[in-house]
Amino acid sequence: MSLKSNSGVCRTLWQLRWVLYPRRCPFCDRVLGTVSPCPDCCAELDALRRKPTMRLSAGLHYLGRLEGAAAPYRYAGCVRRGVLRAKYQAAPWVADELGAEMARLLFGSEAKMGTFGPEVQPVPGLALSYDCIVPVPASSRARGYNVPERMARPIARAVGVPLEPKALVRVHAARRQEGLSLDERLANVAGAFAVPDPERMEGKRVLLVDDVITTGSTLSECARMLLTAGAVSVRGAALACHREE
């Protein structure tokens, strides 16, 4: 088959994919196809942006031994609906798109539309700051996928370093954090995570990825375990945070 024929087949399959499985907005579920960003969500997303800085304040969040953490959005409105859709509506593709949004806003990655949605592009120089990306482990296996891990995949492509989905594991289930004070949250997650292979983390500069940061207790406990295992630094990133500067 000639190159021209191959190109025609690929184009036909690409078009068929969008007809049978149309791309939807991760925030409002509107059919988008190749359109980006969603025209219905632009204004609300802009209002939910954390400006002028996306860095979390240590005065409002418990960062523990994290060198810092950032989140581009406040956890409200369509951002909250997007996260809940990824978590509770069996929609791993939503987590993929939210991760691409994080890569765009936090790291300046551009996305090119591929067969299965936006494909983030590597950002030159980012790999000089990190050695690997580690997602926060899922709180339950019932979902069948881990939302932070799916969000971390496009970020790993943007940064240009390996994703380490098994570097950190949950060794026991903590009770729900909702409604707990900071002290109760810290006690609730203490000892909930482990690093099964410390040698893989030794000397590593880690970017730790979660979906939402509330007080920072979960992220800081994960960072503590990674540093105890030998990581030299841990920074955190999430799509959104609850508390606002």
Side-chain angles (χ1 to χ4, degrees), residues 26-177:
F27 299 106
C28 71
D29 208 33
R30 166 183 172 161
V31 173
L32 291 180
T34 58
V35 175
S36 187
C38 175
D40 290 347
C41 293
C42 282
E44 185 175 3
L45 287 171
D46 187 63
L48 291 171
R49 283 283 304 276
R50 299 179 62 250
K51 300 174 181 178
T53 177
M54 293 181 282
R55 294 180 181 178
L56 272 63
S57 166
L60 292 176
H61 298 86
Y62 180 78
L63 300 183
R65 294 172 65 186
L66 285 162
E67 288 202 354
Y73 288 114
R74 291 184 289 112
Y75 186 62
C78 65
V79 172
R80 179 177 181 274
R81 292 192 293 273
V83 172
L84 294 179
R85 183 174 291 113
K87 284 186 171 183
Y88 303 116
Q89 294 185 16
W93 65 268
V94 171
D96 296 341
E97 293 250 0
L98 296 179
E101 181 75 349
M102 287 177 64
R104 180 179 73 87
L105 293 176
L106 290 175
F107 300 104
S109 174
E110 296 182 359
K112 295 182 179 180
M113 198 58 62
T115 305
F116 297 101
E119 298 175 353
V120 302
Q121 304 301 302
V123 180
L126 284 182
L128 297 175
S129 301
Y130 302 101
D131 296 306
C132 64
I133 311 292
V134 175
V136 171
S139 57
S140 170
R141 296 182 181 179
R143 189 175 298 120
Y145 59 92
N146 181 18
V147 171
E149 180 182 340
R150 297 296 294 242
M151 295 171 73
R153 290 178 184 178
I155 296 173
R157 288 195 294 270
V159 177
V161 296
L163 175 66
E164 296 280 1
K166 297 181 180 180
L168 195 64
V169 298
R170 190 178 289 268
V171 293
H172 70 75
R175 63 190 176 111
R176 288 178 62 87
Q177 296 272 66

